[in-house]
Amino acid sequence: MASQKRGGKSSRGRSRYFDKNAQRKQKPHTFKHGHAGDKEKDRRLGRLDEQTMGYYRRVDQQLKDGFEEEEEKCLFLNNVFTQVEEEIHLLACNQTVSRILETLLRQASTSHLTSILRRLKQNKFSSLCMDRFAGYVIQTIMCLVSKHLSEASGNKTPEQSTAENKKVEKEEVESLCELFLEVCEEMVKDVAGLVRDHYGSHVLRAVFETLSGVKLEQKVVRSRLSLGQQNKVTAVKESTTPSLVTNKPPPPSFLKMLQQLTETILTVDDFSGLVPHVVASPVLQALLTVLHKVDQGLCTQVCQQVMQAKVFTKTCAESELSGVCLALVHQHASYIVKTLLTVADNATYQNLFQLHFIWRLLPLSLHPVATFSLQQLLATLRTEEQLTDVLEELLPHFEDLLAHGKATVLINMAEACVRHQTGQLQFLKTLLKAFHIPKEDKLKCAQLLASLQSYQVFMGLNEDGNTEEQKSAKGVLTTVTLQGSLLLQHLLRFSDNSDIMDSIAAMSAQELQTLACNSSGSHVLECFLTSTTGVKKKKKLLQKMMDLYVVMSCDRSGSRVMDAVWKVAPVEVKTSIAERLVEKEDRLRSDQYGRFVWQNCAIDHYRRHQGTWMDIQAAQERKRKLFQDILAEDTPPKKPRQESKDAAHSGPKPDPGDHLAPELAILGVGLDQDEEEDDNRDTGSPEDNVTCVSLCSQDRSKRKDARKLLKKKKKKQKQNLQVHVDDTASEAIPKKKKKDFDTDRGEQTELKNSAGGVFEAHSSGAKMDKKKMKLQKKKKHKKFQKLHPKKKQ
């Protein structure tokens, strides 16, 4: 085909060069109020004039500047939404105004949102969902519906009564629900086009979230481009929280609509083509996620139909991947495999495990795409038998996995061993063998795992040209990898981690500094220090690191290790650390991380009042050990009400927490000061201040019930004792009323301290109360002697 001559017409049928004198066609424009006359048919959707653009830019600026009064803001929003409702279907299709509308809609009332949604429904709603800019506006509206259902956000004025407010809000919410369901019915009709459309699919995901009441991650609902623009405007990091069910469940009509929408998607033509589709596959993932939370039966039905798709029934033609289904190696279908492993029930999971994973684990782990599905499988193994089958197949190939850089597979296997508490010893032996660690040099295993290097490479045995000094320098830890750090952390959680603990405890000071001051290695030391085993090894390690604490305090990662050290170190070690830190006061105070260590360790207090500082640290250590003992006992908490009743009926009983009473009293565990003052006002005697100590439960309501029962018991005891004292006083001398009251008070105090076994003295006055009780017993004995004198013989 001959090329076009210069100045001729192009293949598209239009002039390549335009005549300046030729009359040009005027570009179509939209008008603010929509009166375009004959030109309305030719204008482009979303093209706005400068006057309209300027108006909404001023609206956006006013929203950013804020308002002085709430009434002024309400008037402003009412005026703006009145203008928006007239042309929302045109404004939403504009790139600039659509972003302003998303900000504006988040401050809309329920009535405004209903009016806007009704206007959109009247203007080809499905087409607007597939629009490049209007789709984001509709997506925002769909997400806001659930918010308005849980919190009715109507305009409230003080003049209106509460009953009127509730009635108006209820009517507005009901109308919004009805309109939303009507919109969903329209989407059901066009679901085949929406599920494959780039912008309409995001609207479907938002509808799933609203209908189910399940809060999905932002990266699931919004596109990557939209999230990036939102983060630029709001300066907020992307949310990484998992999908959670909202507090208020959706109405039953919403769940019924979700079921109808799901059944319609399952009957779409060529459903098998949706599974590997670049746009439809994320929609199916979102649908499975919400169904897993609200309707497991329907979720299982969707899982089974997905597993019948062509990508699951066909296998790879490559010889290396023979027998592996296409879904595991497909770039988009592999994501839905990960979702299936998370949401499937036990029977479907076992079926998926047997059909597509077992006896194919090694080729799957080495494949660049299928390895992620395998890692998800290892992270979600349901039974010990499944883990045993995985270990049996992969244990002989640990060295191959390390050679191909698949250490993440080993990390997931170690995590599964910790979770199921099986296969740990076999896993550790095979792992050490894969690193070629000899038995006589097992103490190097932590360094090798942290650096992910074999024994020959780490020690420099394969390099013949190096000198002896270079070879000796080769056997020192200098680098820590992220995968090695994660692997060591899981190994430290094994039930038998003595080899790893010994290796870390045997590290030199230089290697410990490298580990502590590394962003990945610092977590290994934190895990070592917080483990429940190896107390002697921890003390040995803390003493070895004595010269490193100043350097660690001035490092970003090392300062975190210092916090972990300070939590587990005994008082004598803390005193030695404080002395080292005081010597380098100027360096610590001038460093951005060192000043926090100086403050957390209270070194200023140590310099001024060393004795008090040591008492506080000793009390904190006793407190930590005390609560560790309480948690280790793992006894169910007892209700104070039941204890007080039993004590009232059956007399004083020994409490299992009596041996912890002095420590609790020293730590000040008990009622608040305000509550004690209220009790003192009620009883009228400050000396009768008794504290209710609950060892396991800290529920304030239970304490109040216990106090009420205690007050009732006090009154009964006073009445009984007063009758007894009055009888004895009438037989003896009637002038001894004051002393009788003292006797009554002493007996009452004794009964209080002996009843129930759950009432102990408050704070550090426990020992003083025992002495007072003894003195009161002596006084009581003397007073009763005066009341009943012995006859002279």
Side-chain angles (χ1 to χ4, degrees):
M1 182 177 177
S3 61
Q4 293 287 339
K5 294 183 180 180
R6 185 177 180 84
K9 291 188 176 181
S10 63
S11 59
R12 294 186 180 181
R14 61 186 179 89
S15 301
R16 188 171 180 180
Y17 297 97
F18 297 94
D19 187 3
K20 294 182 180 180
N21 299 324
Q23 187 177 2
R24 300 182 184 178
K25 292 182 180 180
Q26 189 176 359
K27 293 182 179 180
H29 298 279
T30 61
F31 295 85
K32 186 174 181 180
H33 299 288
H35 302 293
D38 297 331
K39 298 178 182 179
E40 187 174 0
K41 297 179 181 179
D42 299 331
R43 66 183 181 180
R44 291 173 55 192
L45 197 65
R47 180 69 64 87
L48 303 175
D49 56 10
E50 289 299 327
Q51 184 181 359
T52 306
M53 294 291 293
Y55 171 75
Y56 287 104
R57 286 193 181 102
R58 291 193 297 272
V59 169
D60 185 39
Q61 187 61 41
Q62 184 63 44
L63 290 174
K64 292 178 181 178
D65 295 341
F67 302 90
E68 295 181 358
E69 297 180 358
E70 188 66 24
E71 185 178 357
E72 181 183 355
K73 180 181 178 181
C74 291
L75 290 173
F76 175 80
L77 291 175
N78 286 333
N79 293 333
V80 172
F81 279 112
T82 303
Q83 183 67 31
V84 168
E85 290 169 8
E86 298 177 0
E87 48 191 9
I88 181 63
H89 60 289
L90 302 176
L91 298 173
C93 298
N94 183 272
Q95 181 178 7
T96 304
V97 180
S98 64
R99 294 174 183 171
I100 299 173
L101 287 176
E102 289 188 57
T103 306
L104 191 64
L105 286 168
R106 292 185 178 93
Q107 304 184 35
S109 64
T110 308
S111 58
H112 291 149
L113 196 67
T114 306
S115 302
I116 289 173
L117 188 58
R118 182 176 289 107
R119 185 74 175 183
L120 288 170
K121 178 179 174 292
Q122 296 170 357
N123 291 273
K124 298 180 180 179
F125 185 79
S126 298
S127 300
L128 291 174
C129 289
M130 300 180 193
D131 186 80
R132 182 179 181 183
F133 304 116
Y136 291 111
V137 178
I138 297 175
Q139 186 179 345
T140 303
I141 294 174
M142 296 301 173
C143 292
L144 288 173
V145 169
S146 58
K147 177 185 175 184
H148 285 265
L149 289 181
S150 58
E151 300 176 2
S153 58
N155 292 331
K156 300 177 183 178
T157 57
E159 292 81 7
Q160 290 179 331
S161 63
T162 307
E164 290 180 2
N165 266 338
K166 290 182 178 180
K167 185 177 180 180
V168 171
E169 289 173 3
K170 185 178 180 181
E171 291 177 355
E172 291 177 352
V173 169
E174 288 177 355
S175 61
L176 179 61
C177 289
E178 293 176 359
L179 183 60
F180 175 71
L181 292 174
E182 292 176 4
V183 168
C184 290
E185 288 178 358
E186 286 197 8
M187 296 180 70
V188 168
K189 298 176 183 178
D190 301 326
V191 71
L194 291 171
V195 76
R196 292 183 174 91
D197 185 77
H198 179 74
Y199 303 103
S201 63
H202 288 87
V203 178
L204 272 179
R205 300 179 211 178
V207 170
F208 293 157
E209 180 179 322
T210 304
L211 289 175
S212 63
V214 178
K215 185 66 177 176
L216 296 172
E217 298 179 29
Q218 283 296 311
K219 65 180 182 180
V220 176
V221 181
R222 308 286 297 195
S223 66
R224 192 176 302 174
L225 178 62
S226 176
L227 281 176
Q229 291 172 350
Q230 272 188 345
N231 294 340
K232 285 181 182 178
V233 174
T234 59
V236 178
K237 293 184 179 179
E238 180 185 351
S239 175
T240 57
T241 56
S243 302
L244 299 172
V245 181
T246 55
N247 294 329
K248 188 174 181 180
S253 57
F254 279 27
L255 297 177
K256 190 179 294 184
M257 178 56 66
L258 178 63
Q259 183 179 0
Q260 181 182 351
L261 192 58
T262 304
E263 292 174 353
T264 308
I265 291 175
L266 293 178
T267 57
V268 168
D269 295 338
D270 191 20
F271 179 82
S272 297
L274 299 180
V275 178
H277 196 271
V278 62
V279 175
S281 181
V283 177
L284 294 177
Q285 296 170 40
L287 180 62
L288 287 170
T289 303
V290 300
L291 289 177
H292 175 61
K293 302 290 184 181
V294 296
D295 192 347
Q296 184 60 41
L298 189 57
C299 178
T300 303
Q301 182 181 348
V302 177
C303 290
Q304 291 175 355
Q305 187 157 345
V306 167
M307 291 174 61
Q308 293 173 4
K310 294 179 181 178
V311 289
F312 281 91
T313 56
K314 291 184 178 180
T315 57
C316 298
E318 302 176 14
S319 58
E320 298 177 355
L321 299 172
S322 59
V324 176
C325 67
L326 290 174
L328 295 174
V329 298
H330 195 275
Q331 185 178 2
H332 307 298
S334 60
Y335 285 97
I336 206 167
V337 174
K338 294 173 65 176
T339 307
L340 288 174
L341 291 170
T342 305
V343 305
D345 60 342
N346 292 334
T348 307
Y349 185 94
Q350 181 66 21
N351 188 22
L352 191 64
F353 178 76
Q354 293 289 345
L355 289 177
H356 303 295
F357 284 98
I358 199 64
W359 309 123
R360 306 173 185 88
L361 298 179
L362 182 61
L364 290 176
S365 60
L366 300 179
H367 193 271
V369 176
T371 183
F372 295 103
S373 299
L374 177 63
Q375 292 171 25
Q376 184 68 19
L377 174 78
L378 295 173
T380 57
L381 288 173
R382 308 289 176 89
T383 61
E384 295 182 5
E385 291 77 11
Q386 293 171 354
L387 178 58
T388 304
D389 294 340
V390 171
L391 291 174
E392 183 181 351
E393 185 174 351
L394 286 181
L395 280 176
H397 306 287
F398 273 15
E399 193 169 348
D400 297 331
L401 294 173
L402 291 169
H404 286 82
K406 301 300 179 183
T408 314
V409 177
L410 300 179
I411 294 170
N412 285 279
M413 290 178 66
E415 184 182 3
C417 291
V418 173
R419 190 170 62 251
H420 292 284
Q421 292 295 317
T422 184
Q424 296 180 0
L425 183 61
Q426 190 179 6
F427 178 88
L428 183 58
K429 287 183 177 179
T430 309
L431 184 65
L432 298 182
K433 186 178 179 181
F435 278 88
H436 302 164
I437 301 175
K439 293 182 179 180
E440 61 273 7
D441 208 358
K442 265 190 178 181
L443 295 179
K444 290 289 183 182
C445 64
Q447 292 92 319
L448 298 177
L449 292 170
S451 59
L452 283 184
Q453 294 178 353
S454 65
Y455 182 79
Q456 291 80 6
V457 175
F458 185 80
M459 300 300 293
L461 300 178
N462 295 335
E463 300 177 6
D464 299 331
N466 292 341
T467 61
E468 294 182 0
E469 295 180 358
Q470 290 175 341
K471 286 185 179 181
S472 61
K474 279 283 184 180
V476 179
L477 180 65
T478 55
T479 58
V480 181
T481 62
L482 175 61
Q483 290 80 5
S485 172
L486 293 172
L487 189 57
L488 276 174
Q489 290 175 52
H490 290 306
L491 293 177
L492 285 170
R493 296 187 181 97
F494 279 13
S495 56
D496 184 10
N497 57 0
S498 56
D499 292 339
I500 308 297
M501 297 283 285
D502 292 338
S503 178
I504 295 176
M507 284 186 179
S508 62
Q510 180 183 352
E511 290 176 325
L512 290 173
Q513 180 179 346
T514 302
L515 199 63
C517 297
N518 184 275
S519 58
S520 301
S522 59
H523 295 284
V524 176
L525 281 179
E526 290 181 25
C527 190
F528 177 88
L529 293 170
T530 55
S531 62
T532 56
T533 57
V535 178
K536 295 182 179 179
K537 297 171 186 176
K538 291 180 188 178
K539 291 183 179 180
K540 180 181 177 182
L541 185 72
L542 294 175
Q543 292 293 343
K544 188 183 291 187
M545 296 169 64
M546 195 60 67
D547 296 332
L548 304 176
Y549 291 129
V550 176
V551 179
M552 290 164 53
S553 300
C554 298
D555 184 79
R556 180 178 182 179
S557 302
S559 59
R560 300 286 185 182
V561 181
M562 278 296 299
D563 294 338
V565 167
W566 199 257
K567 289 178 182 178
V568 301
V571 179
E572 57 272 11
V573 176
K574 288 183 178 179
T575 306
S576 303
I577 294 173
E579 292 176 357
R580 301 297 177 97
L581 298 181
V582 167
E583 294 175 359
K584 302 293 182 180
E585 177 182 358
D586 296 337
R587 180 179 176 183
L588 291 171
R589 285 182 174 273
S590 60
D591 188 80
Q592 59 176 337
Y593 304 111
R595 66 168 68 101
F596 289 105
V597 176
W598 184 275
Q599 181 180 358
N600 294 338
C601 300
I603 306 301
D604 280 332
H605 191 205
Y606 170 78
R607 291 176 56 194
R608 297 170 186 170
H609 309 286
Q610 186 173 354
T612 309
W613 181 88
M614 293 181 68
D615 292 340
I616 293 173
Q617 299 300 327
Q620 290 179 355
E621 185 177 356
R622 286 197 299 272
K623 179 179 179 181
R624 186 182 70 252
K625 291 180 179 179
L626 169 67
F627 285 104
Q628 283 178 356
D629 295 339
I630 293 173
L631 294 174
E633 289 177 1
D634 196 18
T635 56
K638 296 182 180 180
K639 295 183 179 180
R641 178 182 296 180
Q642 188 66 28
E643 289 177 352
S644 59
K645 286 183 179 179
D646 296 340
H649 291 289
S650 59
K653 291 183 180 181
D655 188 72
D658 284 341
H659 67 284
L660 303 173
E663 288 83 355
L664 289 169
I666 292 171
L667 297 174
V669 179
L671 297 176
D672 298 336
Q673 188 175 359
D674 297 334
E675 296 170 353
E676 291 174 4
E677 292 175 1
D678 294 338
D679 290 342
N680 293 339
R681 293 192 192 99
D682 295 335
T683 56
S685 84
E687 295 180 4
D688 293 341
N689 182 18
V690 180
T691 305
C692 177
V693 177
S694 179
L695 297 179
C696 301
S697 177
Q698 297 180 354
D699 192 0
R700 189 175 294 274
S701 61
K702 293 180 181 179
R703 296 187 200 173
K704 290 181 180 179
D705 294 340
R707 287 200 301 273
K708 289 179 181 178
L709 293 170
L710 177 61
K711 289 175 185 177
K712 291 180 181 178
K713 190 172 67 173
K714 286 177 185 177
K715 291 180 181 179
K716 290 182 180 180
Q717 291 172 355
K718 282 184 179 181
Q719 292 174 0
N720 296 333
L721 291 172
Q722 189 65 36
V723 171
H724 175 69
V725 172
D726 290 342
D727 294 340
T728 54
S730 61
E731 295 175 1
I733 303 170
K735 293 183 180 180
K736 304 289 183 177
K737 286 188 177 179
K738 279 190 177 180
K739 294 185 178 180
D740 290 345
F741 176 76
D742 294 338
T743 305
D744 182 21
R745 186 173 61 190
E747 292 177 355
Q748 183 183 358
T749 305
E750 183 181 0
L751 287 170
K752 286 179 183 177
N753 288 285
S754 61
V758 294
F759 302 103
E760 293 293 339
H762 180 60
S763 73
S764 60
K767 296 181 180 179
M768 297 298 295
D769 287 346
K770 291 180 180 179
K771 294 181 180 179
K772 287 181 181 179
M773 289 169 59
K774 291 180 180 179
L775 291 173
Q776 287 170 357
K777 287 180 181 179
K778 291 180 180 179
K779 288 180 181 179
K780 182 180 70 173
H781 183 67
K782 291 180 181 178
K783 289 171 185 176
F784 275 107
Q785 282 182 351
K786 290 181 181 179
L787 289 172
H788 304 280
K790 293 181 180 180
K791 294 181 180 181
K792 295 181 180 180
Q793 294 180 356

